[in-house]
Amino acid sequence: AQKVTQAQTEISVVEKEDVTLDCVYETRDTTYYLFWYKQPPSGELVFLIRRNSFDEQNEISGRYSWNFQKSTSSFNFTITASQVVDSAVYFCALSEAGGGFKTIFGAGTRLFVKA
Amino acid sequence: DAGVIQSPRHEVTEMGQEVTLRCKPISGHDYLFWYRQTMMRGLELLIYFNNNVPIDDSGMPEDRFSAKMPNASFSTLKIQPSEPRDSAVYFCASSFGLAGVYNEQFFGPGTRLTVL
């Protein structure tokens, strides 16, 4: 069965600090997709990144970077030089190829960035 | 381009009343998802459709919940009768499935439902 664990419920940092949000997943499928979504205070979920299980390359997009390690079943998200606008709830999610299009979301990590 | 549209944005109703939530997916998307978000249970997938056909409704909590997608541009989630424990934010999302590639989902703004 698929499962996504985001052990960090809340993280609080001061602006300009780097912060890493952890995501650990469980799946029996060899083909799967991992996602990160951001939910700002406005409430709408916004897609950040998608990774498939055959692509372990890390990715950087501006101040955001993602580290995908199949050996530890982790897909961690790092924000460099955090800003107040990064304050949001961040969700990691998993879709198994054998599970149709069903997506399981982690519980989310609430990030507070203080000025 | 318009994103996923949901209505109403807020709904307050009394226990026992019927509630209908509406969703218009992004044009061209062939998958539509209904989620419920609560503090206790997080973000739960209720049901999803592919080409207007329900594929997996295992997340629908009970028979009081039903969802339809009569055409590619409209879906409803109905709760009848509603109960206070149904209070939550309900999200609709759509996506484009391309031959085994699981693309990202685009979420609507959500409907905040309060059942008194």
Side-chain angles (χ1 to χ4, degrees):
Chain A
Q2 56 187 124
K3 184 178 178 182
V4 176
T5 301
Q6 294 181 257
Q8 303 151 308
T9 306
E10 289 186 359
I11 300 176
S12 184
V13 299
V14 177
E15 211 171 18
K16 298 184 184 177
E17 284 185 19
D18 298 347
V19 58
T20 295
L21 310 182
D22 298 333
C23 173
V24 174
Y25 62 92
E26 293 178 29
T27 178
R28 293 179 183 159
D29 238 332
T30 56
T31 302
Y32 52 90
Y33 290 78
L34 295 163
F35 304 83
W36 276 95
Y37 288 85
K38 174 182 180 180
Q39 186 175 37
S42 59
E44 196 163 336
L45 278 92
V46 177
F47 165 78
L48 295 177
I49 190 172
R50 180 194 70 208
R51 261 288 175 268
N52 72 54
S53 53
F54 299 110
D55 183 3
E56 280 194 79
Q57 280 192 348
N58 293 329
E59 181 156 337
I60 298 175
S61 176
R63 296 184 297 106
Y64 294 173
S65 62
W66 290 269
N67 183 282
F68 177 26
Q69 293 197 340
K70 288 177 74 171
S71 60
T72 55
S73 297
S74 64
F75 186 42
N76 296 337
F77 172 32
T78 297
I79 302 174
T80 303
S82 59
Q83 299 176 1
V84 173
V85 293
D86 296 327
S87 296
V89 181
Y90 292 87
F91 292 93
C92 181
L94 166 69
S95 292
E96 296 175 328
F101 224 110
K102 188 171 184 175
T103 302
I104 299 299
F105 284 77
T109 296
R110 185 177 296 275
L111 175 65
F112 294 99
V113 182
K114 306 176 199 174
Chain B
D1 288 340
V4 175
I5 299 172
Q6 290 187 247
S7 65
R9 294 292 308 276
H10 301 272
E11 176 81 29
V12 179
T13 190
E14 293 190 346
M15 183 173 64
Q17 297 298 306
E18 177 180 298
V19 175
T20 299
L21 311 182
R22 297 173 176 81
C23 176
K24 177 179 169 57
I26 292 173
S27 177
H29 282 188
D30 55 348
Y31 282 86
L32 183 139
F33 307 81
W34 282 102
Y35 291 90
R36 177 172 68 175
Q37 186 176 34
T38 61
M39 289 294 292
M40 292 295 294
R41 300 177 67 90
L43 199 58
E44 304 173 274
L45 176 65
L46 300 178
I47 184 172
Y48 75 93
F49 296 82
N50 177 220
N51 292 322
N52 313 337
V53 176
I55 303 300
D56 187 337
D57 65 355
S58 59
M60 296 286 261
E62 48 198 276
D63 292 345
R64 299 184 296 107
F65 285 69
S66 62
K68 294 182 180 179
M69 192 164 186
N71 57 62
S73 59
F74 183 66
S75 177
T76 59
L77 177 67
K78 187 177 292 187
I79 308 172
Q80 165 63 16
S82 58
E83 296 182 3
R85 59 193 169 119
D86 301 330
S87 297
V89 180
Y90 291 81
F91 287 101
C92 176
S94 70
S95 183
F96 176 56
L98 177 64
V101 176
Y102 287 40
N103 292 308
E104 65 272 22
Q105 296 176 27
F106 292 82
F107 282 77
T111 295
R112 182 174 294 276
L113 173 65
T114 302
V115 183
L116 303 174

